[in-house]
């Protein structure tokens, strides 16, 4: 089973990779992981590790057929033109490659009754965006249930038709119905919260701008070795 943080990063790659393709788009996000409640069911070492984590700022670069997530410990690069995703490890100076097989139908989410999406009446101002809350729950297997909270705005300057088309295609690659379900929502998720058990991961939009990406943004760094 994937870690909640990995799943949330995957969702954000889907969302951000669908932004308009007029040059490069820079997205600044804040993200974090922590524990809800006392986390009594978790090992002590894990509780201490999560308690000490501070939120981090990451940058996403998006172009026509590619996107990149740049963090302080590594990067994730998606190349639709090559049907490949690169996971960069800066500590080992290596990268792995995930091939996109596109084997799952990307046109609609599953009718699985275990996957529930509810639009609420609750609103919230996040930065300059007025958002409305959506709640989602779904079965992760092994008797684990995930809870997702999405704060969605229709005031973010993105091409929603491109967002949905690209996002559905990418969600199909991950084979996750819940990711497909997100693209049934009208608007852009300004904040996302993913909770499984006591562990909560979140990501929040800080800013969006159009500017050229630095050279090499969409390629594994020179000198790094392929690990798979």
């Amino acid at each position: 089973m994937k870690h909640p943080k990995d799943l949330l990063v995957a969702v954000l790659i889907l969302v951000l990779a669908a932004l308009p393709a007029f040059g490069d788009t820079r997205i600044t996000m804040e993200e974090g992981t922590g524990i809800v409640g006392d986390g009594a069911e978790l090992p002590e070492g894990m509780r201490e590790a999560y308690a000490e984590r501070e939120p981090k700022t990451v940058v996403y670069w998006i172009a026509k057929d590619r996107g990149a997530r740049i963090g302080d410990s590594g990067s994730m690069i998606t190349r639709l033109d090559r049907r490949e995703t690169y996971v960069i490890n800066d500590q080992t100076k290596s990268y792995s490659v995930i091939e996109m097989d596109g084997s799952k139908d990307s046109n609609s989410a599953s009718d699985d009754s275990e996957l529930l999406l509810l639009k609420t009446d609750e609103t919230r101002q996040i930065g300059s965006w007025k958002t409305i809350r959506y709640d989602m729950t779904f079965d992760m297997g092994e008797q684990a249930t995930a809870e997702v909270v999405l704060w969605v705005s229709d005031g973010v300057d993105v091409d929603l038709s491109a967002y949905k088309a690209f996002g559905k295609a990418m969600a199909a690659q991950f084979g996750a119905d819940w990711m497909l379900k997100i693209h049934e929502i009208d608007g852009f998720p300004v904040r996302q919260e993913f909770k499984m058990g006591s562990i909560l991961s979140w990501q929040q939009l800080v800013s969006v701008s159009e500017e050229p990406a630095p050279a090499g943004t969409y390629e594994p760094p020179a000198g790094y070795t392929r690990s798979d």
Side-chain angles (χ1 to χ4, degrees):
M1 180 184 300
K2 288 187 178 181
H3 188 282
K5 184 64 167 294
D6 297 331
L7 289 166
L8 196 54
V9 167
V11 172
L12 199 59
I13 286 289
L14 306 183
V15 171
L16 297 179
L19 290 172
F22 308 112
D24 298 286
T25 303
R26 176 190 168 109
I27 312 294
T28 302
M29 304 288 297
E30 189 176 43
E31 63 179 32
T33 304
I35 295 176
V36 178
D38 58 14
E41 78 281 9
L42 299 174
E44 182 178 355
M46 183 178 292
R47 290 200 305 272
E48 293 177 353
Y50 280 117
E52 296 174 355
R53 292 190 178 185
E54 296 291 333
K56 297 181 179 180
T57 299
V58 297
V59 174
Y60 291 80
W61 288 99
I62 309 299
K64 179 180 179 180
D65 54 7
R66 62 202 66 186
R69 174 188 184 273
I70 311 297
D72 60 359
S73 61
S75 306
M76 180 181 291
I77 300 168
T78 296
R79 291 293 300 259
L80 290 187
D81 56 337
R82 300 175 184 171
R83 308 294 297 168
E84 292 180 335
T85 292
Y86 309 127
V87 180
I88 314 297
N89 187 322
D90 290 330
Q91 294 180 340
T92 62
K93 295 189 180 302
S94 64
Y95 66 95
S96 58
V97 180
I98 303 173
E99 296 183 359
M100 303 179 189
D101 58 22
S103 59
K104 187 176 176 62
D105 181 9
S106 62
N107 291 324
S108 61
S110 170
D111 291 331
D112 189 346
S113 61
E114 298 299 319
L115 197 162
L116 302 174
L117 176 65
L118 174 66
K119 181 180 181 180
T120 76
D121 295 326
E122 185 176 355
T123 60
R124 180 176 176 184
Q125 188 74 26
I126 300 178
S128 60
W129 303 285
K130 181 178 180 180
T131 68
I132 189 166
R133 174 173 173 161
Y134 287 75
D135 292 328
M136 178 188 295
T137 59
F138 57 93
D139 183 11
M140 291 288 293
E142 300 179 10
Q143 298 183 336
T145 300
E147 302 173 22
V148 179
V149 175
L150 302 166
W151 294 95
V152 179
S153 173
D154 59 6
V156 182
D157 188 16
V158 299
D159 181 343
L160 288 178
S161 61
Y163 153 62
K164 291 178 181 294
F166 197 119
K168 287 180 179 180
M170 290 292 291
Q173 171 61 29
F174 285 93
D177 289 339
W178 67 278
M179 294 182 186
L180 287 169
K181 195 75 173 177
I182 290 176
H183 295 282
E184 296 180 5
I185 299 174
D186 292 329
F188 187 90
V190 172
R191 180 178 172 90
Q192 303 178 60
E193 301 170 0
F194 186 107
K195 179 178 175 291
M196 189 165 62
S198 299
I199 301 176
L200 172 69
S201 293
W202 58 271
Q203 292 172 317
Q204 184 168 309
L205 178 64
V206 176
S207 64
V208 181
S209 62
E210 296 290 327
E211 55 187 276
T217 295
Y218 307 113
E219 298 285 354
Y224 280 39
T225 58
R226 181 168 173 166
S227 61
D228 55 346

